[in-house]
Amino acid sequence: MERPILASMDIDAMRHNLTRIRELAPQTQVWSVIKANAYGHGFAAALKGLALTDGFALLDIQDARYLRENGWKGPILLLEGLFSADDLKLAFMLDCTLVVHTESQVAALETFDLTQHQAKPRPIYLKMNTGMNRLGFSPSDYRLMYHRLHAAGYAMHHMTHFANADRVDCLPSVGSQYDLFNEAITDLPGDTSTANSGAILWHRTVLGEWVRPGIMLYGASPSGSFADIAHANLKPVMRLSSEIISIQVVKKGEKVGYGGRFTAPEEMRIGIVACGYADGYPRSASDGTPVWVADGGDTSNGVICPLAGQVSMDMLTIDLRAAPLAKIGSKVELWGKHIPVDDVAQSAGTIGYELLCALAPRVPIQLVV
Ligand SMILES: *Cc1c(COP(=O)(O)O)cnc(C)c1O
């Protein structure tokens, strides 16, 4: 028999989340962001669950090729543009829309012989750095780059990225970035794309023509805190599940696992779950991190059994005192409908994004339709 760990992707939940985005941002078109293997969910799940999106945004041209080979005919946005001028031909063959953020990309596009590849003007999203200081042109350089590419025959659009759409106490603020952006593009034609999930949830006056949701498509929180999206009616897509493969009865004072981090406060049962950091469960998760266990045979009748002891490569250990009926073979959910991935992430000092993306290749993926 196979190891019982499984990542199931709820395709209906993905569809539902896209619908929620359309309700929140009704005047916009949606670039569904599926970088990092669709935040760990797999491109096959994304193609199914997000079939009604207006476009897909990702990083690698090979992934764009996968989408085309699997029937996607709509727009594809390469979020970091070209990594080498050699990719330009392939990018246009695959009918990709490029983000342009450096002068060398502008130069490559200017010298490219468009006449061989020009069914229609090639769309470009020019990226402005409005304060995040990661990718893009300063507002003062932006207009020159815009005019160069426009003169070279490209169809120009505008893009920037918010550093703090999911929080209120950090600078630069969404408002200041948005104002800088709008001032710099005054009178320049083209669509605008500014909003990530945080902006769609919490700053709906700055959405532009095309929004770029990522994390909310997968039902997790941009802020890293599930409480912040509890009322947004998003549904978790990924369920990481496994089973109890062994049970130890430990006496009061006995230690559990590497480093003996957990000490039994009384005689108790410890459940050994077939899931470890080599599956993508965070090793940094602290004792007390919630794990859901089906108590008895009924998979709907679950209880929370806290992590007890250091996560190891292939296993983790849980405190079974709340689940007297749990036995070898009992179902366990590490995250999903019962345990928000954001809660596990918080216990591990990170955000849901990182856990979802880090789902290990050795974990089988099942699409639930
Ligand atoms: C990842 C990414 C997004 C999506 O961000 P979320 O916080 O997941 O919604 C949008 N735009 C750009 C440029 C990105 O890199």
Side-chain angles (χ1 to χ4, degrees):
M1 215 192 101
E2 283 167 37
R3 204 162 159 257
I5 191 161
L6 181 67
S8 359
M9 309 304 174
D10 182 341
I11 300 302
D12 270 341
M14 227 178 204
R15 268 186 213 118
H16 165 91
N17 294 338
L18 178 59
T19 302
R20 277 300 289 146
I21 290 163
R22 294 207 186 275
E23 287 167 6
L24 290 167
Q27 313 297 347
T28 70
Q29 308 219 64
V30 179
W31 289 116
S32 289
V33 179
I34 55 166
K35 61 196 180 187
N37 198 27
Y39 290 48
H41 296 67
F43 293 121
L47 273 173
K48 257 205 161 62
L50 304 174
L52 294 180
T53 188
D54 300 298
F56 284 113
L58 43 71
L59 299 182
D60 289 306
I61 202 158
Q62 296 311 330
D63 298 336
R65 190 205 293 268
Y66 174 91
L67 294 189
R68 292 295 182 223
E69 286 172 357
N70 286 277
W72 175 250
K73 296 194 169 54
I76 297 177
L77 182 65
L78 296 181
L79 282 169
E80 294 180 358
L82 297 172
F83 298 103
S84 143
D86 301 340
D87 291 341
L88 203 42
K89 210 167 155 179
L90 179 58
F92 286 153
M93 263 167 53
L94 294 169
D95 206 7
C96 292
T97 301
L98 300 177
V99 170
V100 172
H101 60 84
T102 64
E103 203 277 336
S104 60
Q105 290 176 334
V106 173
L109 286 159
E110 280 178 324
T111 52
F112 188 73
D113 182 7
L114 261 181
T115 54
Q116 286 178 21
H117 299 271
Q118 185 110 18
K120 53 186 192 277
R122 295 287 173 179
I124 298 282
Y125 274 80
L126 195 59
K127 184 140 186 198
M128 193 190 304
N129 170 18
T130 51
M132 176 131 181
N133 289 314
R134 209 173 54 173
L135 296 184
F137 298 103
S138 68
S140 54
D141 291 342
Y142 185 89
R143 295 180 76 89
L144 173 62
M145 298 301 158
Y146 180 99
H147 288 304
R148 277 174 62 180
L149 288 172
H150 182 258
Y154 296 93
M156 300 305 296
H157 305 291
H158 311 285
M159 172 172 164
T160 194
H161 193 56
F162 297 127
N164 295 307
D166 57 313
R167 57 194 81 209
V168 286
D169 51 346
C170 295
L171 294 175
S173 69
V174 168
S176 69
Q177 288 194 256
Y178 195 64
D179 289 348
L180 260 181
F181 178 71
N182 277 318
E183 198 184 326
I185 67 172
T186 304
D187 302 330
L188 298 179
D191 290 344
T192 58
S193 177
T194 54
N196 53 7
S197 297
I200 295 166
L201 283 163
W202 300 307
H203 301 274
R204 280 194 287 283
T205 55
V206 300
L207 297 184
E209 276 84 31
W210 282 76
V211 292
R212 301 191 309 273
I215 195 73
M216 63 189 296
L217 290 168
Y218 311 100
S221 175
S223 69
S225 168
F226 179 73
D228 293 339
I229 59 160
H231 302 289
N233 188 15
L234 299 169
K235 295 184 179 168
V237 176
M238 186 189 298
R239 176 175 203 251
L240 181 63
S241 64
S242 189
E243 290 179 7
I244 294 177
I245 57 167
S246 178
I247 291 179
Q248 298 289 342
V249 179
V250 295
K251 294 195 180 61
K252 180 177 179 178
E254 281 195 278
K255 310 271 186 192
V256 175
Y258 289 119
R261 188 175 75 183
F262 180 78
T263 306
E266 58 185 321
E267 180 168 305
M268 62 184 284
R269 297 197 309 156
I270 294 286
I272 319 301
V273 179
C275 175
Y277 60 78
D279 299 301
Y281 195 91
R283 185 176 174 277
S284 49
S286 52
D287 284 349
T289 304
V291 175
W292 182 95
V293 177
D295 192 23
D298 185 355
T299 49
S300 62
N301 182 21
V303 288
I304 303 295
C305 292
L307 188 73
Q310 178 81 63
V311 174
S312 51
M313 187 184 286
D314 311 311
M315 283 173 269
L316 55 80
T317 43
I318 55 177
D319 173 349
L320 283 182
R321 282 177 293 175
L325 301 179
K327 55 185 192 303
I328 290 177
S330 288
K331 301 285 179 213
V332 173
E333 178 185 292
L334 288 318
W335 59 70
K337 285 190 180 60
H338 303 292
I339 308 269
V341 69
D342 297 303
D343 288 0
V344 180
Q346 276 192 332
S347 290
T350 181
I351 52 177
Y353 293 77
E354 188 177 3
L355 301 194
L356 295 174
C357 293
L359 182 75
R362 81 176 189 185
V363 178
I365 289 184
Q366 181 184 62
L367 306 192
V368 180
V369 288

